[in-house]
Amino acid sequence: MAATARGREEALPALAEVFREHGYEGASLFLISQATGLGKGSLYHFFPGGKAEMAAAVVAEIDAWFERHVFAALRDTRRPREDIAAMLEAVDQYFGTGRRVCLVGLFALGDARDAFTREVHAYFARWVGALADALVRSGNGRAAATALAEETVGAIQGAIVLTRALDDPGIFGRALQRLRSRLGLERR
Amino acid sequence: MAATARGREEALPALAEVFREHGYEGASLFLISQATGLGKGSLYHFFPGGKAEMAAAVVAEIDAWFERHVFAALRDTRRPREDIAAMLEAVDQYFGTGRRVCLVGLFALGDARDAFTREVHAYFARWVGALADALVRSGNGRAAATALAEETVGAIQGAIVLTRALDDPGIFGRALQRLRSRLGLERR
DNA sequence: GTCTATAGATCGATAGAC
DNA sequence: GTCTATCGATCTATAGAC
């Protein structure tokens, strides 16, 4: 897949892809070495903590990416409605219309649950929290906003499961469309 | 956990629990042996195909259980509304209010995806299909029923992810309550 | 049928040459 | 920094005694 990565940072995308495709246990150092183009020596040079550190680095980068491109936009106070719409668009792109697994969701289901409980919790708590805040700012009551935020993030995670199970990206698209309608983002 | 299982059938529940807890790759024969109380010799006597056959047997049993206790009820033509409500109740019980992972959903996300593509597809297709049919019978148009069925099954899967990620069963309960409302099952 | 012992492969991780 | 060689542990699976 990847030409030889030149450093720790460059290796992260390929690394993330391996964990997404095979899960934590299934991502062997052989697969990781192939995907990154780095030998074991180089991998342990960049990640002295081994596989656990590699997975932690991937989760941290995913977390940072979502913070920057998804959660942050929700914290703009002026146009919450547009920000929420932009969040859904970013999600659609990132998850490849449901074909690409959410690694944090996969870890939440147990693949590496004990090792990353805190990171998994923080990721979803910030996602739901930022969305709920934006929904309050766009006119919803606190309780309704929290319920809508939980429903939205849950629907996205569930749509990924269903899309992959039935091999039909239309499922993810329709789920996002329903969410747009329910969140009051319909074209006006 | 389990007293010594006496045969193939008796071993299945403990076997299922191990796969749910650790995923396919993470479920080692050592863990399986401990959970079932069966030595490796006995395990290979009951499952000559090894771990793959054990997982297949578990998926088949889960599939049969859902067919009997969840999908079948949806095919009763006389009182679709009550049947759908009963389905949600069975789901709440089975998934332990979101604390218990859906093994088929976990496999769909990749843990053993290539090996069980057909079974995973069949399970979710029958679930969505049976629910959509019941919704048509309860007065919805075909397109609306399909959308509602996809939304419902997706919401359940997503609620399991969120419940485990945030360690809060209230999330699963609220998700079911929203579904009851949306499916028109509110107390009359 | 169930056990112990172990084969054979692969795992994550390390060492040392370059 | 990157490679090859290899360690010890663990994995799935099998063999053979009982």
Side-chain angles (χ1 to χ4, degrees):
Chain A
M1 165 185 294
T4 306
R6 297 252 154 223
R8 182 182 158 115
E9 299 306 315
E10 286 94 336
L12 286 179
L15 212 38
E17 211 52 35
V18 179
F19 283 117
R20 260 192 288 267
E21 283 291 315
H22 300 91
Y24 183 80
E25 306 280 359
S28 71
L29 287 188
F30 174 77
L31 287 172
I32 291 171
S33 179
Q34 277 202 325
T36 57
L38 294 168
K40 292 186 186 178
S42 304
L43 286 171
Y44 274 87
H45 174 72
F46 294 130
F47 305 94
K51 201 163 98 163
E53 185 175 338
M54 298 179 208
V58 165
V59 169
E61 210 216 18
I62 291 175
D63 198 75
W65 192 93
F66 269 80
E67 178 59 42
R68 216 173 323 117
H69 294 91
V70 181
F71 308 155
L74 290 174
R75 303 211 178 86
D76 181 302
T77 51
R78 292 166 304 172
R79 9 173 79 207
R81 219 187 298 260
E82 284 81 353
D83 296 340
I84 295 170
M87 184 271 280
L88 290 182
E89 183 56 36
V91 161
D92 191 24
Q93 291 286 325
Y94 183 83
F95 292 121
T97 314
R99 284 178 304 258
R100 197 190 201 193
V101 163
C102 175
L103 182 62
V104 189
L106 178 57
F107 280 9
L109 282 188
D111 199 71
R113 195 159 177 259
D114 298 340
F116 298 102
T117 308
R118 239 192 40 237
E119 289 81 354
V120 167
H121 185 103
Y123 170 86
F124 281 109
R126 261 184 303 130
W127 192 350
V128 172
L131 179 54
D133 288 351
L135 284 166
V136 166
R137 272 185 269 107
S138 77
N140 294 273
R142 170 54 64 179
T146 299
L148 264 175
E150 279 180 14
E151 177 180 359
T152 299
V153 177
I156 290 167
Q157 295 295 315
I160 293 174
V161 174
L162 262 193
T163 295
R164 286 179 65 92
L166 298 177
D167 195 25
D168 174 13
I171 291 175
F172 195 81
R174 288 192 287 276
L176 284 188
Q177 201 50 44
R178 278 194 302 273
L179 290 174
R180 287 194 188 93
S181 155
R182 199 147 295 145
L183 294 167
L185 310 175
E186 293 286 45
R187 191 156 312 192
R188 288 157 292 179
Chain B
M1 165 186 296
T4 306
R6 297 251 154 226
R8 182 182 156 116
E9 299 306 315
E10 286 95 336
L12 285 180
L15 212 38
E17 211 51 36
V18 179
F19 283 118
R20 259 192 288 268
E21 282 292 313
H22 300 91
Y24 183 82
E25 306 281 358
S28 71
L29 286 189
F30 174 77
L31 287 173
I32 291 171
S33 179
Q34 277 203 325
T36 57
L38 293 168
K40 293 186 186 179
S42 304
L43 286 170
Y44 274 87
H45 174 72
F46 293 129
F47 305 95
K51 200 163 96 161
E53 186 175 338
M54 298 179 209
V58 165
V59 169
E61 210 215 18
I62 291 175
D63 198 75
W65 192 93
F66 269 80
E67 178 58 42
R68 217 176 319 119
H69 294 91
V70 182
F71 307 156
L74 291 174
R75 302 213 178 86
D76 181 301
T77 52
R78 292 168 303 175
R79 7 174 79 207
R81 220 185 298 259
E82 284 81 353
D83 297 340
I84 295 170
M87 183 272 280
L88 290 182
E89 183 55 37
V91 160
D92 192 23
Q93 291 286 326
Y94 183 84
F95 291 120
T97 313
R99 284 180 302 259
R100 195 190 202 194
V101 162
C102 175
L103 183 62
V104 189
L106 178 56
F107 280 9
L109 282 188
D111 198 72
R113 193 159 180 259
D114 298 340
F116 297 101
T117 309
R118 240 191 41 235
E119 288 83 354
V120 168
H121 185 104
Y123 170 87
F124 281 110
R126 262 186 301 132
W127 192 350
V128 172
L131 178 54
D133 289 351
L135 285 166
V136 166
R137 271 186 268 107
S138 77
N140 294 273
R142 170 55 62 178
T146 299
L148 264 175
E150 279 179 13
E151 176 180 358
T152 300
V153 177
I156 290 167
Q157 295 295 314
I160 293 173
V161 174
L162 262 194
T163 296
R164 287 180 64 92
L166 299 178
D167 196 25
D168 173 14
I171 291 175
F172 195 81
R174 287 192 288 276
L176 284 186
Q177 202 49 46
R178 278 194 303 273
L179 289 174
R180 287 194 188 93
S181 155
R182 199 146 296 144
L183 294 166
L185 311 174
E186 293 286 45
R187 191 156 312 192
R188 289 158 292 178

